[in-house]
Amino acid sequence: MLVDFSAQNYASLNKQQELSMVASTSTKEECGLNNIHDINKFGIKELLKSAAIFGANGSGKTNVINAIHVLKKIVLGSLESVSENPLTGVIPFLLKDNYFDIPTEFEVSFLAEGNLYRYGLSIENGEISEEWLYWTKQSRETLLFHRIKQTINYNQRSFSEAKLFTKKEDDIFLIEKTKPSVPFISVLSQFDGERSTVVTNWFQRVNIISGLREGGFKKFTVELFDQNEEFKSWALEILSSLQIDNINVVEFEKEFPLRNSGKVINNDELRDVFSKLEGYLEKNKIKDKRIEVVKRNSNGETFSIPLSIESEGTQKLIYLLGPLYDVIKNNEILIIDEFDNKFHTLLCKFIISLYNKKNFGDSQLILTCHDTNLLTKELFRRDQIWFVEKNEEHESELYSLVEYTEHYARKGDSYSRDYLQGKYGAIPLFTSISELGDMIDG
């Protein structure tokens, strides 16, 4: 489970920004019992099941998500290509004179296999300048290793897996078999290091998807409907509220139109290539699967229709059920950027409430949203609501609603009015239609 994540000097995140999943002890919303995991260990009483990040367009919400994705990619993708530098995609905050006045830094704390881990790294000039891993077994945090460039200090008792990849020169240990651009944790996990594998396995359980496009998880959900009866029963219970009786997975042959009708290919070699390709596709049909939804008419008779003719919101909901089920079932983390895209407010609320109520394990859900109607006490505790806003230096700042103690006593179940009035910051660039009109008219 994620405890907290921080990043600095990455994209629009200049100064260190932190997203914490530690539940506040001061919040007492009605939804609280469904929205927290009891921990009572390592000084942590409870962790949040979910969190939502709100902010204007261009405020930096996606950069918070991208920062988590970049750290995951560095850790898991470092050894996929020996020729590429895994750090080349790390972009610092560019709106300042010296891009590298502070290192680009990422750190994450998480619970795994009964222990609390804290892992992080700093990047300077395309190389890892620092990398560290600590763990807590009972109450005291203990160093496992701390790397400074190509030198390292490690716990020879609790992190003996580092021994084969270090050598001692005088009074210092040097890292071996690890490039300056590659995390030491990644190298050790490739050789089944006990603690390092726990770290890389945790990153593999962090799933990041975009709510703008279903392509990244559409096929996954179709396969679940086709092969997993438990998932199908779970999903149909939810979809019954949309008057969907059943889901069928239909196999079909994909068509590949290689020629435009009436267009003549004059090049003999090109015409020969097209002819051979057409012959191959004729002999080797390429098949795919699609979903059909089953409904009932007023006479009780069932009929099926392709999902593609349903609304985009219905399509997204059905395809999203696969990732939701998967992370709940396997106690993983799901991060959805632009979650509310294509969704009606009531459908957003339905999905979030559904997740919190059906999540009996250690799964967590993190969302970025625009819909201010989701800012309600019935849906989220204050510590689950986060805002992103750019300051005068164009730096994204991330903060929680818990920080706004003066609004704790507001009556009613919604924070959206205060948010739209600018009391929490992170509001859209134009506070009124008339102001936007004035800007357009000059």
Side-chain angles (χ1 to χ4, degrees):
M1 295 181 66
L2 175 65
V3 176
D4 60 56
F5 170 79
S6 65
Q8 72 174 27
N9 198 20
Y10 169 74
S12 63
L13 310 172
N14 187 27
K15 301 181 182 69
Q16 186 182 73
Q17 303 299 317
E18 181 180 6
L19 173 69
S20 175
M21 298 296 286
V22 177
S24 168
T25 57
S26 64
T27 58
K28 303 185 185 301
E29 285 85 355
E30 293 180 3
C31 64
L33 294 178
N34 286 327
N35 293 13
I36 55 175
H37 294 290
D38 290 324
I39 303 300
N40 294 316
K41 198 175 181 181
F42 313 118
I44 302 170
K45 183 180 179 182
E46 298 161 334
L47 286 179
L48 299 171
K49 289 184 180 180
S50 57
I53 304 172
F54 294 83
N57 291 329
S59 61
K61 300 186 301 299
T62 295
N63 286 335
V64 176
I65 305 305
N66 286 345
I68 301 174
H69 178 70
V70 164
L71 178 58
K72 174 183 175 178
K73 187 176 180 180
I74 291 171
V75 171
L76 298 182
S78 293
L79 299 180
E80 291 180 358
S81 173
V82 295
S83 60
E84 294 183 7
N85 184 336
L87 307 181
T88 53
V90 179
I91 302 173
F93 181 71
L94 299 177
L95 300 179
K96 55 184 177 182
D97 294 332
N98 180 5
Y99 305 154
F100 305 105
D101 55 345
I102 56 175
T104 297
E105 187 171 294
F106 307 103
E107 184 179 79
V108 62
S109 296
F110 58 90
L111 299 177
E113 297 190 5
N115 300 305
L116 173 64
Y117 289 84
R118 179 167 65 90
Y119 172 77
L121 51 80
S122 292
I123 301 165
E124 294 182 275
N125 300 316
E127 295 184 352
I128 295 175
S129 57
E130 280 190 77
E131 183 184 6
W132 57 92
L133 178 64
Y134 291 78
W135 76 330
T136 305
K137 293 185 66 176
Q138 298 297 330
S139 58
R140 184 173 63 88
E141 185 178 68
T142 303
L143 175 143
L144 291 179
F145 80 85
H146 189 178
R147 165 191 185 181
I148 300 179
K149 295 188 175 180
Q150 294 301 91
T151 67
I152 190 168
N153 175 30
Y154 70 94
N155 188 320
Q156 298 187 38
R157 180 177 179 181
S158 300
F159 203 67
S160 59
E161 61 204 72
K163 185 176 181 179
L164 294 177
F165 296 86
T166 60
K167 66 177 181 179
K168 190 173 184 180
E169 287 190 2
D170 298 326
D171 294 329
I172 63 174
F173 285 95
L174 300 177
I175 293 177
E176 292 190 306
K177 305 174 183 177
T178 303
K179 291 182 178 180
S181 60
V182 174
F184 191 50
I185 200 80
S186 304
V187 174
L188 296 183
S189 70
Q190 290 291 313
F191 292 87
D192 300 323
E194 183 180 3
R195 302 300 167 201
S196 54
T197 300
V198 172
V199 176
T200 54
N201 283 347
W202 182 83
F203 276 105
Q204 288 175 338
R205 302 171 78 85
V206 177
N207 305 275
I208 302 172
I209 61 177
S210 171
L212 297 176
R213 300 170 295 277
E214 292 87 54
F217 49 92
K218 175 180 176 180
K219 185 176 181 180
F220 175 78
T221 300
V222 173
E223 290 297 328
L224 275 182
F225 271 116
D226 192 34
Q227 301 176 12
N228 191 320
E229 287 298 325
E230 183 179 335
F231 163 70
K232 187 174 182 179
S233 297
W234 180 87
L236 289 176
E237 181 182 348
I238 297 166
L239 294 174
S240 62
S241 61
L242 299 180
Q243 298 179 321
I244 294 176
D245 277 23
N246 202 357
I247 293 288
N248 293 329
V249 177
V250 179
E251 191 173 69
F252 67 98
E253 293 181 359
K254 297 189 69 172
E255 295 183 0
F256 293 90
L258 297 178
R259 294 181 179 175
N260 292 325
S261 178
K263 192 170 183 178
V264 178
I265 300 176
N266 295 319
N267 185 288
D268 291 340
E269 292 183 1
L270 186 58
R271 185 166 56 249
D272 184 55
V273 169
F274 269 83
S275 178
K276 289 179 179 179
L277 184 54
E278 286 178 330
Y280 173 82
L281 291 175
E282 184 65 29
K283 294 178 181 178
N284 302 274
K285 299 293 186 181
I286 298 177
K287 296 183 178 181
D288 202 353
K289 297 176 182 178
R290 66 171 177 240
I291 285 178
E292 292 187 352
V293 296
V294 178
K295 297 186 175 183
R296 291 183 183 273
N297 60 23
S298 58
N299 297 323
E301 300 169 335
T302 61
F303 61 96
S304 63
I305 58 174
L307 179 58
S308 59
I309 69 173
E310 289 279 5
S311 71
E312 290 189 349
T314 300
Q315 293 180 48
K316 179 181 173 181
L317 168 62
I318 290 177
Y319 290 134
L320 190 58
L321 290 178
L324 283 171
Y325 172 84
D326 185 60
V327 297
I328 292 174
K329 182 74 173 177
N330 297 304
N331 295 320
E332 297 185 356
I333 298 170
L334 180 61
I335 302 174
I336 309 177
D337 191 25
E338 301 288 354
F339 162 73
D340 49 349
N341 180 60
K342 302 179 184 177
F343 281 160
H344 186 278
T345 296
L346 293 178
L347 190 52
C348 289
K349 291 181 177 180
F350 172 77
I351 295 170
I352 295 169
S353 297
L354 169 78
Y355 172 83
N356 287 327
K357 291 176 181 177
K358 288 188 174 289
N359 176 17
F360 301 109
D362 294 333
S363 172
Q364 290 173 298
L365 178 67
I366 299 173
L367 315 168
T368 69
C369 309
H370 289 280
D371 190 349
T372 60
N373 293 304
L374 302 180
L375 290 167
T376 69
K377 298 178 182 179
E378 291 181 344
L379 196 62
F380 291 119
R381 296 157 46 104
R382 288 186 299 275
D383 47 8
Q384 292 179 281
I385 298 173
W386 290 78
F387 300 114
V388 178
E389 181 179 37
K390 281 188 177 176
N391 60 25
E392 294 180 354
E393 284 73 40
H394 304 284
E395 303 167 333
S396 294
E397 297 180 335
L398 177 66
Y399 51 93
S400 169
L401 182 57
V402 165
E403 299 176 29
Y404 287 83
T405 55
E406 66 269 28
H407 299 295
Y408 279 11
R410 172 174 287 285
K411 295 181 179 180
D413 64 350
S414 176
Y415 298 109
S416 61
R417 184 172 70 176
D418 285 347
Y419 171 70
L420 291 175
Q421 290 177 351
K423 294 181 179 180
Y424 308 137
I427 59 173
L429 297 177
F430 306 102
T431 56
S432 68
I433 296 297
S434 60
E435 182 181 343
L436 176 58
D438 292 342
M439 292 292 293
I440 293 174
D441 297 335

